[in-house]
Amino acid sequence: MKKTLIFDLDGTLFDTLKDLHNSVNFALNLHGFPQKSPEEIRNSVGNGLKMLIRRSLPQDADEATVDAVLAAMKAHYRRHCLDETKPYPGVPELLARLYAEGYRMVLVSNKADAMTKELHRAFFPTEIAVSIGETEQLKRKPAPDMVYAALRQFGAEIEDAVFIGDSEVDIQTAKNAGLPCLSVGWGFRTAQELLAAGAETICHMPEELYEAIKGA
């Protein structure tokens, strides 16, 4: 039984879609670009904020435009990342149960490191021991760098860990890190999309995830 659990953030532990959607549209509007629907934002999340902005702009947008819109989005999101964001139903109870049973939990995200740590502190300061977001020093997922850095901080062995996420990026991250992956079906990707990306285990409720973790 693996005792170190590496969680993705957006779409796995937290429903961040409304705040991301609001901040992206704020930045797009500020620079004169069309607004995006929640579904468009949902499908664009997973590879970091810069890729989210690039996918939200016209294909011919140059790098300077991407950077300007990204800066506006980040500034807005820093002020509003907790407006609507909340853990998915049953997740707080799941993490409390796992913590009480001695599981060690870490959080890795392609969200900026400061925002990742803010959400960590706001909701799960006790249950989750380490959180790492995007920095200039670490390649973002699906590279395994964040996973390895989190495990080093925690003093955990890769053989004792399992990755838990909601997207194709998480499935590939787990593969690149040499970890088994448990996928959740309540996040930003459908079960069909997860299966197409190679998911082997999809949990649709926190209780299912608990049982899958126990059997990992």
Side-chain angles (χ1 to χ4, degrees):
M1 183 171 65
K2 299 182 184 296
K3 297 294 287 187
T4 301
L5 310 177
I6 305 171
F7 285 95
D8 167 58
L9 190 155
D10 296 272
T12 301
L13 296 182
F14 298 100
D15 184 355
T16 57
L17 184 61
K18 288 182 181 178
D19 287 332
L20 288 169
H21 178 239
N22 290 340
S23 291
V24 170
N25 276 345
F26 170 85
L28 292 173
N29 182 66
L30 187 67
H31 288 270
F33 291 104
Q35 304 283 280
K36 293 295 180 179
S37 69
E39 192 62 25
E40 287 173 310
I41 298 301
R42 178 192 297 275
N43 291 332
S44 297
V45 169
N47 294 95
L49 294 181
K50 187 167 188 175
M51 184 58 72
L52 171 60
I53 293 301
R54 184 173 281 117
R55 289 168 174 164
S56 300
L57 286 167
Q59 289 186 353
D60 60 354
D62 60 25
E63 199 67 15
T65 299
V66 173
D67 288 342
V69 176
L70 175 62
M73 184 271 173
K74 282 185 173 180
H76 186 273
Y77 191 62
R78 287 189 197 101
R79 299 191 299 271
H80 298 282
C81 66
L82 295 175
D83 287 1
E84 301 287 345
T85 289
K86 57 187 177 181
Y88 285 100
V91 164
E93 294 81 3
L94 170 66
L95 296 193
R97 185 177 185 183
L98 292 168
Y99 179 77
E101 293 181 7
Y103 284 89
R104 302 169 296 183
M105 291 176 276
V106 301
L107 176 62
V108 296
S109 174
N110 279 342
K111 190 185 293 295
D113 189 60
M115 300 173 193
T116 297
K117 287 178 166 53
E118 183 171 355
L119 287 168
H120 172 194
R121 290 191 298 266
F123 291 99
F124 302 116
T126 300
E127 294 87 348
I128 294 176
V130 172
S131 60
I132 293 181
E134 183 182 9
T135 67
E136 292 182 358
Q137 291 72 40
L138 295 171
K139 293 181 181 179
R140 70 173 65 94
K141 299 181 297 179
D145 300 43
M146 292 182 185
V147 172
Y148 295 154
L151 291 175
R152 284 195 300 269
Q153 283 191 32
F154 205 34
E157 299 295 331
I158 195 78
E159 295 81 11
D160 190 40
V162 60
F163 198 98
I164 300 160
D166 75 302
S167 74
E168 70 284 352
V169 175
D170 298 314
I171 294 168
Q172 190 61 49
T173 301
K175 182 178 179 180
N176 291 342
L179 293 173
C181 184
L182 301 176
S183 299
V184 302
W186 58 73
F188 292 171
R189 300 292 187 268
T190 65
Q192 289 75 15
E193 289 170 325
L194 291 170
L195 288 171
E200 295 183 358
T201 302
I202 303 175
C203 305
H204 296 281
M205 298 289 292
E207 183 60 33
E208 289 181 54
L209 179 55
Y210 174 80
E211 295 299 332
I213 288 170
K214 299 294 285 187

